[in-house]
Amino acid sequence: MAIDELDARLLELLAREPRIGVLEVSRRLGVARGTAQARLEKLRTGGVIRGFGPDVDPAALGFPVTAFATLEIKQGRGEEVRRHLGGVPEVLELHTITGEGDMLCRLVARSNADLQRVIDQVVGFDGIVRSSTAIVMENPVPLRVMPLVRHAAGRRPPGAARAAGRARGAAGEPGPRG
């Protein structure tokens, strides 16, 4: 779905202040309340906005260990494996993939020892042939979508114009003012 500058500003405002009301959104964006409401509904029905729930941190719930498990599954057992993994609360995400393995899951656990329990529960299903697990040490770029929102709306990320100007100047090209 294509978005424009107003959609991007609306999404950025909601990302910064998820509890803001539509009337305040319209005031801050300088548009009519009906416009703000219609844009919000368009983004929701178009699947851009997937929900308004809280952003829950698994670590704060007592699950500070994150790992990714690549799973190789038996031919024709994908649907059964999906159901099995859907029943494991510590499986936060499941993706089907290309390359090494067939599925990639993001797992959480209370400790490294607890991670072994989770892995045993995940792979203790007849449809899973092999697994490989990598424990996350650090998450220097957490899940983010606002740079993508700005890009989709045709805007540069904050600071990109200055960086582009410096790069032109260093290459002997005229800068933004020259």
Side-chain angles (χ1 to χ4, degrees), residues 22-113:
V22 176
L23 187 58
E24 183 62 16
V25 165
S26 68
R27 189 186 70 71
R28 297 229 199 133
L29 296 178
V31 298
R33 183 187 183 285
T35 300
Q37 184 69 50
R39 290 296 184 108
L40 188 59
E41 185 61 17
K42 175 188 83 164
L43 292 169
R44 192 190 64 72
T45 59
V48 174
I49 296 176
R50 294 187 293 190
F52 297 94
D55 185 11
V56 178
D57 181 1
L61 289 176
F63 295 86
V65 176
T66 299
F68 289 92
T70 303
L71 308 176
E72 186 178 319
I73 61 169
K74 286 183 182 175
Q75 197 71 23
R77 302 287 302 270
E79 213 38 61
E80 293 171 64
V81 171
R82 290 175 192 199
R83 278 193 301 276
H84 164 68
L85 296 173
V88 179
E90 294 89 350
V91 174
L92 300 186
E93 293 181 273
L94 175 64
H95 304 269
T96 57
I97 58 171
T98 62
E100 299 292 318
D102 301 302
M103 295 182 177
L104 178 70
C105 351
R106 181 164 62 123
L107 312 170
V108 292
R110 295 185 181 279
S111 65
N112 285 353

